[in-house]
Short mmCIF file of all heavy atoms in Angstrom, two decimals:
data_model
loop_
_atom_site.label_atom_id
_atom_site.label_comp_id
_atom_site.label_asym_id
_atom_site.label_seq_id
_atom_site.Cartn_x
_atom_site.Cartn_y
_atom_site.Cartn_z
N ALA A 282 -62.02 -46.42 -54.61
CA ALA A 282 -62.03 -45.13 -53.94
C ALA A 282 -63.04 -44.19 -54.60
O ALA A 282 -63.73 -43.42 -53.92
CB ALA A 282 -60.63 -44.52 -53.97
N PHE A 283 -63.16 -44.27 -55.91
CA PHE A 283 -64.13 -43.44 -56.65
C PHE A 283 -65.55 -43.75 -56.17
O PHE A 283 -66.39 -42.85 -56.09
CB PHE A 283 -63.99 -43.72 -58.16
CG PHE A 283 -65.10 -43.16 -58.98
CD1 PHE A 283 -65.18 -41.79 -59.25
CD2 PHE A 283 -66.07 -43.99 -59.53
CE1 PHE A 283 -66.20 -41.26 -60.04
CE2 PHE A 283 -67.09 -43.47 -60.33
CZ PHE A 283 -67.15 -42.11 -60.58
N SER A 284 -65.81 -45.00 -55.81
CA SER A 284 -67.16 -45.40 -55.40
C SER A 284 -67.55 -44.71 -54.08
O SER A 284 -68.75 -44.64 -53.78
CB SER A 284 -67.24 -46.92 -55.26
OG SER A 284 -66.47 -47.38 -54.17
N ARG A 285 -66.59 -44.20 -53.32
CA ARG A 285 -66.91 -43.46 -52.10
C ARG A 285 -67.61 -42.16 -52.44
O ARG A 285 -68.41 -41.66 -51.62
CB ARG A 285 -65.63 -43.14 -51.30
CG ARG A 285 -64.93 -44.31 -50.70
CD ARG A 285 -63.58 -43.88 -50.14
NE ARG A 285 -63.67 -42.62 -49.42
CZ ARG A 285 -62.75 -41.64 -49.53
NH1 ARG A 285 -61.74 -41.77 -50.34
NH2 ARG A 285 -62.87 -40.53 -48.83
N PHE A 286 -67.33 -41.61 -53.60
CA PHE A 286 -67.83 -40.29 -53.95
C PHE A 286 -69.04 -40.37 -54.88
O PHE A 286 -69.85 -39.43 -54.92
CB PHE A 286 -66.75 -39.46 -54.61
CG PHE A 286 -65.56 -39.18 -53.73
CD1 PHE A 286 -64.38 -39.90 -53.89
CD2 PHE A 286 -65.62 -38.24 -52.73
CE1 PHE A 286 -63.28 -39.65 -53.07
CE2 PHE A 286 -64.52 -37.98 -51.91
CZ PHE A 286 -63.36 -38.70 -52.07
N ALA A 287 -69.15 -41.41 -55.67
CA ALA A 287 -70.21 -41.53 -56.67
C ALA A 287 -71.27 -42.50 -56.21
O ALA A 287 -70.97 -43.63 -55.83
CB ALA A 287 -69.61 -41.94 -57.99
N THR A 288 -72.52 -42.08 -56.29
CA THR A 288 -73.67 -42.93 -55.97
C THR A 288 -74.24 -43.44 -57.30
O THR A 288 -74.65 -42.63 -58.14
CB THR A 288 -74.73 -42.17 -55.19
OG1 THR A 288 -74.12 -41.59 -54.03
CG2 THR A 288 -75.85 -43.10 -54.76
N VAL A 289 -74.26 -44.76 -57.47
CA VAL A 289 -74.63 -45.36 -58.75
C VAL A 289 -75.74 -46.39 -58.50
O VAL A 289 -75.63 -47.22 -57.61
CB VAL A 289 -73.41 -46.05 -59.39
CG1 VAL A 289 -73.79 -46.70 -60.71
CG2 VAL A 289 -72.27 -45.07 -59.60
N GLY A 290 -76.80 -46.32 -59.31
CA GLY A 290 -77.87 -47.32 -59.16
C GLY A 290 -79.18 -46.87 -59.76
O GLY A 290 -79.23 -45.94 -60.59
N THR A 291 -80.26 -47.52 -59.35
CA THR A 291 -81.58 -47.20 -59.82
C THR A 291 -82.09 -45.95 -59.13
O THR A 291 -81.56 -45.55 -58.07
CB THR A 291 -82.54 -48.38 -59.56
OG1 THR A 291 -82.50 -48.67 -58.17
CG2 THR A 291 -82.11 -49.61 -60.34
N PRO A 292 -83.15 -45.32 -59.65
CA PRO A 292 -83.63 -44.06 -59.08
C PRO A 292 -83.92 -44.11 -57.58
O PRO A 292 -83.46 -43.22 -56.82
CB PRO A 292 -84.88 -43.76 -59.89
CG PRO A 292 -84.66 -44.41 -61.20
CD PRO A 292 -83.88 -45.65 -60.89
N ASP A 293 -84.65 -45.09 -57.12
CA ASP A 293 -85.00 -45.16 -55.71
C ASP A 293 -83.78 -45.31 -54.82
O ASP A 293 -83.66 -44.66 -53.77
CB ASP A 293 -85.97 -46.32 -55.45
CG ASP A 293 -87.35 -46.05 -56.01
OD1 ASP A 293 -87.69 -44.88 -56.21
OD2 ASP A 293 -88.10 -47.04 -56.22
N VAL A 294 -82.84 -46.16 -55.25
CA VAL A 294 -81.63 -46.41 -54.47
C VAL A 294 -80.77 -45.15 -54.39
O VAL A 294 -80.30 -44.76 -53.31
CB VAL A 294 -80.83 -47.56 -55.07
CG1 VAL A 294 -79.46 -47.69 -54.44
CG2 VAL A 294 -81.59 -48.89 -54.91
N VAL A 295 -80.57 -44.49 -55.52
CA VAL A 295 -79.73 -43.30 -55.54
C VAL A 295 -80.37 -42.16 -54.75
O VAL A 295 -79.71 -41.49 -53.95
CB VAL A 295 -79.45 -42.85 -57.00
CG1 VAL A 295 -78.76 -41.49 -57.02
CG2 VAL A 295 -78.60 -43.91 -57.71
#
Side-chain angles (χ1 to χ4, degrees):
F283 169 75
S284 68
R285 292 172 42 223
F286 298 102
T288 305
V289 179
T291 57
D293 288 339
V294 169
V295 172

